[in-house]
Amino acid sequence: MSTTIDLAAEPYEFALAPEHCALLIIDMQRDFLEPGGFGEMLGNDVSQLRGVIEPNRKLLAAWRAAGLSVLHTREGHRPDLADLPPAKKIRGRSATSIGDAGPMGRILVRGEDGHDIIPELYPEPGEPVIDKPGKGAFHATDLHAILQHRDVKQLVVTGVTTEVCVNTTVREANDRGYDCLVLEDCCGSYYPEFHAMGLKMIKAQGGIFGWVSSSERVIKGLADWKSAQ
Ligand code: C5J
């Protein structure tokens, strides 16, 4: 029996090795996705992101049913803001910024309601949650150590936003030797053109940062793999 799940992808097929592959769901937090949160307060249309909830929910259910590793990330800072770079605090010249009171608690601060993951994709016990102060999930976190301890060599990456935290994390992972498969229907941006271009950048030049495919293909691949066991 094949030990890989061979998936149609761009720029070419991806050989998913279930034993060495983890699902990494980036920043599906209330503040970015829920009406009345920080994202909306900044003037963004959160409906642009909410379309990715259902594909992620189905993918997560299939991934869990297959018994594979899942990790979640959240962007945010310590309540004392000691890990918040002053440059990040003042960027944008907004009247309200990180650490200030927002619609769902202090903006992007750990422990606040808005910082937490949306209920539809809430982590289960045993699924590590990586709290990251930056856009990339490897910067100032224990993600790389956790993946190494689990012998993970491939990442299926989903979440928001495509051009910011998803792209930054995929680039960081690529430089650390991971193969990344990004699922286009499970990633989103407040700007559709940035979503399209963010995916294009990943798969360009022979997959310079990784591969792009869809949740439908992964779910079918997992089901076929399970039934062949
Ligand atoms: C993420 C952001 N998660 N856009 N953050 O992409 O600031």
Side-chain angles (χ1 to χ4, degrees), residues 99-192:
D100 295 344
M104 288 192 270
R106 291 178 69 203
I107 295 164
L108 291 191
V109 169
R110 294 175 192 165
E112 302 289 336
D113 288 346
H115 173 262
D116 211 356
I117 292 173
I118 56 170
E120 296 90 331
L121 301 176
Y122 210 74
E124 285 187 351
E127 297 175 356
V129 177
I130 308 295
D131 277 322
K132 61 187 187 63
K135 304 303 180 195
F138 288 85
H139 167 67
T141 72
D142 47 13
L143 175 60
H144 190 45
I146 293 172
L147 295 176
Q148 286 192 315
H149 300 332
R150 295 181 173 206
D151 204 15
V152 170
K153 299 179 189 322
Q154 302 177 328
L155 296 170
V156 170
V157 186
T158 73
V160 298
T161 60
T162 314
E163 77 281 12
V164 183
C165 291
V166 171
N167 241 272
T168 307
T169 298
V170 167
R171 289 164 190 235
E172 287 182 328
N174 181 62
D175 280 345
R176 286 164 178 78
Y178 298 94
D179 281 334
C180 293
L181 177 70
V182 180
L183 303 185
E184 56 191 346
D185 57 319
C186 289
C187 296
S189 170
Y190 298 119
Y191 306 90

Side-chain angles (χ1 to χ4, degrees), residues 41-42 90-97 100:
M41 197 183 90
L42 290 177
I90 62 171
R91 188 79 49 79
R93 298 180 174 173
S94 170
T96 317
S97 66
D100 295 344

